[in-house]
Structures are given as C-alpha cells and as structure tokens.
Amino acid sequence: MKRLFYTVSTFCFVWLAFAAIHVSALSIEKLPMKKSSEQWSVELTKASMTGDNQLKWKNNVYHTYGLTVENIGKDVERVQVQAFRHEGKNKAKYSLFSPIERSNLSKSGQRFRYANFAVPGKAAGLDIMINWTDEQGNHQEQFEFK
C-alpha cells in the first residue's frame, strides 16, 4: 500500500512540476494587427524586406516586424516612439531600438513607418510607447501586442 501511495505521489509531483513550467513566447499569427486610441493608431505588420541589409525572420531565434504609427488626434509637440519587449514573468522591459523623435508625427494625419526591427523569439510581449507634449503637459501612451 505504501508503495502505491509513493508511486502515485511521485507521479503527481512530476506531473505538477512539468505543468507549472510555462514558456510563453511572442507569436503574433495574424498580421497586420492594429490598436488605436483617441490620439494614436499603431499597426504591427510584417517587416519590409527591401534591401540586402534588412533583417529576416529566423524561427525561434528572432522575429521581424514593421511598425506604423499615425497621429489620428490633435496636433501635438515633441513626439517620441519607443518599443520594448518583455519576457514571461520577468517585469523588466528591454528596448528594441533607440527612442525615435518624430517631428512629422506632430500634425494630425501624419504617419511614421519603421520598416524592419527584430524581436527575440523568447519575448512574451511587445510594448510600443509614445510620448508627446501638448498645451496640457507631457503624456505617454502604451500599446501592448501579444
């Protein structure tokens, strides 16, 4: 009886240990994917592959995407676009490219396209951060893609 109890207990422990290991990776299947607010429209697309030095998708190592940001709200000043990745339960976020200052995004109806950037395959999510200033002060908005 003890032997059966230990066998069942061991099996349950091993099963729970493997079930608790959860690996999540960013896997955006349907592109383009668009998110919007009152001020911004952010679209994640397939990367543009025009040019010899462009990054190409490498399965399980990194994925490549394109990004389009459009000002769909009022005119603003000092617009900055950043992209971050995060990994699973780790709360830290890692920058994917240097902050981009875009004066052309200040006017309503203007857009910016970042044609090609890489996201490591182990990333669990992608956050696009937009900072800007208007007559009411400084603002920041975050768009999350998983």
Side-chain angles (χ1 to χ4, degrees):
M1 188 66 165
K2 281 186 179 181
R3 189 175 198 177
L4 178 63
F5 174 75
Y6 286 123
T7 303
V8 170
S9 297
T10 303
F11 175 76
C12 289
F13 176 75
V14 170
W15 181 77
L16 286 173
F18 281 110
I21 297 173
H22 176 69
V23 177
S24 63
L26 180 65
S27 178
I28 299 173
E29 300 291 327
K30 295 183 180 183
L31 291 175
M33 181 181 283
K34 192 176 209 176
K35 299 202 176 193
S36 299
S37 68
E38 288 182 21
Q39 184 67 44
W40 305 105
S41 172
V42 177
E43 185 175 26
L44 192 63
T45 62
K46 291 181 180 180
S48 293
M49 296 297 181
T50 58
D52 295 334
N53 59 351
Q54 296 295 321
L55 295 169
K56 292 180 177 55
W57 183 292
K58 192 169 185 181
N59 203 18
N60 296 329
V61 178
Y62 61 86
H63 307 285
T64 54
Y65 298 101
L67 176 68
T68 303
V69 177
E70 182 178 2
N71 182 343
I72 59 173
K74 60 185 178 180
D75 291 355
V76 296
E77 297 176 6
R78 292 192 287 276
V79 179
Q80 185 181 66
V81 178
Q82 293 177 277
F84 296 90
R85 67 175 166 88
H86 49 89
E87 299 172 1
K89 295 179 182 178
N90 186 354
K91 292 186 180 195
K93 293 182 181 182
Y94 305 94
S95 179
L96 294 170
F97 49 78
S98 298
I100 300 169
E101 297 276 344
R102 299 305 302 186
S103 61
N104 66 322
L105 280 173
S106 296
K107 303 290 182 198
S108 182
Q110 297 295 309
R111 66 176 39 193
F112 159 72
R113 171 104 172 109
Y114 195 92
N116 193 309
F117 65 95
V119 179
K122 61 185 176 180
L126 173 64
D127 296 331
I128 306 300
M129 305 290 283
I130 303 175
N131 299 295
W132 74 96
T133 303
D134 64 13
E135 63 277 351
Q136 296 171 349
N138 297 325
H139 304 277
Q140 181 182 65
E141 229 173 315
Q142 175 179 330
F143 299 87
E144 186 175 10
F145 296 91
K146 287 187 174 184

